[in-house]
């Protein structure tokens, strides 16, 4: 008889019977967020989003929404996840983060064109403003989230000043006043 295996099985059964340990293992950090239409969106354990919650969550009013498409078996996803959580926490209540497990939400991932993971989408006002594909450095993640927060702040200040609600885009198209070598303007 394998006594170490029997002892560890007995220990697991004992721990599983303890209510306090079960509560600690299954406690979820719920966070209530209001969608654009004012209806609350509740994030479950680990900010996991269901496909049904995704549309309301990405349209969260007055916040930058970061959605991480990941899988439990994905190594780069496990590297990027803590960086995302740290960076989004730095911006306080201006940024909310949700996670979508592509194994559980294949139709949503397919509809959005998620072909590789990790795939992080950044939304402002329900519209996608940026995307991070693959494991990135924390500074690169921070820079992308910071740009989205700046765009959100610019839109809020323009709306607060009584200007029109469509803020001027941050990135302006470059004028092409140059010609490649050997080409002439008509």
């Amino acid at each position: 008889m394998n006594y170490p295996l029997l002892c560890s099985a007995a220990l697991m059964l004992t721990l599983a019977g303890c209510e306090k340990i079960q509560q600690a293992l299954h406690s979820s950090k719920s966070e209530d967020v209001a969608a654009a239409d004012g209806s609350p969106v509740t994030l479950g354990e680990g900010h996991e989003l269901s496909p049904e919650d995704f549309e309301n969550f990405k349209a969260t009013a007055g916040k930058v929404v970061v959605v991480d498409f990941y899988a439990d078996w994905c190594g780069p996803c496990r590297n990027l996840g803590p960086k995302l959580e740290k960076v989004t926490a730095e911006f306080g209540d201006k940024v909310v983060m949700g996670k979508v497990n592509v194994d559980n939400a294949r139709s949503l991932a397919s509809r959005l064109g998620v072909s590789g993971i990790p795939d992080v989408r950044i939304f402002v006002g329900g519209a996608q403003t940026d995307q991070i594909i693959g494991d990135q450095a924390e500074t690169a993640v921070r820079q992308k989230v910071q740009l989205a927060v700046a765009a959100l702040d610019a839109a809020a200040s323009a709306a607060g000043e009584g200007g029109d609600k469509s803020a001027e885009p941050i990135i302006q198209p470059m004028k092409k006043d140059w010609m490649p070598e050997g080409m002439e303007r008509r």
Side-chain angles (χ1 to χ4, degrees):
M1 182 166 244
N2 190 346
Y3 288 107
L5 181 62
L6 183 62
C7 290
S8 54
L11 178 63
M12 294 302 290
L13 287 173
T14 305
L15 290 176
C18 181
E19 289 181 28
K20 288 185 179 180
I21 292 176
Q22 283 181 345
Q23 288 173 354
L25 290 174
H26 298 293
S27 67
S28 64
K29 295 180 180 179
S30 285
E31 183 177 328
D32 292 330
V33 178
D37 61 1
S39 63
V41 176
T42 303
L43 299 179
E45 183 173 326
H47 307 288
E48 185 74 30
L49 293 172
S50 68
E52 296 80 28
D53 293 338
F54 174 76
E55 291 300 324
N56 282 337
F57 183 71
K58 80 171 189 174
T60 302
K63 296 189 185 296
V64 173
V65 177
V66 177
V67 180
D68 179 16
F69 291 88
Y70 77 102
D72 293 329
W73 49 264
C74 171
C77 299
R78 286 181 279 179
N79 289 337
L80 185 62
K83 295 175 197 174
L84 281 172
E85 290 173 9
K86 179 180 177 187
V87 168
T88 56
E90 290 174 5
F91 292 97
D93 63 343
K94 290 184 177 184
V95 179
V96 292
M97 184 177 138
K99 293 178 158 264
V100 176
N101 188 329
V102 295
D103 290 334
N104 299 336
R106 290 181 185 191
S107 62
L108 175 63
S110 172
R111 182 170 51 93
L112 294 174
V114 175
S115 59
I117 51 175
D119 187 338
V120 179
R121 309 284 174 102
I122 301 173
F123 298 93
V124 177
Q128 182 177 331
T129 59
D130 212 339
Q131 182 176 14
I132 301 169
I133 297 177
D135 187 14
Q136 301 287 321
E138 188 175 316
T139 54
V141 173
R142 184 176 294 109
Q143 182 181 18
K144 290 195 179 245
V145 173
Q146 195 168 15
L147 282 172
V149 169
L152 180 71
D153 290 343
S157 67
E161 293 174 358
D164 75 20
K165 294 189 180 193
S166 61
E168 187 173 318
I170 294 174
I171 299 174
Q172 298 291 330
M174 185 175 93
K175 293 183 180 176
K176 292 186 177 182
D177 58 351
W178 55 270
M179 296 294 293
E181 189 174 322
M183 299 287 293
E184 293 182 13
R185 195 174 295 271
R186 289 184 187 192

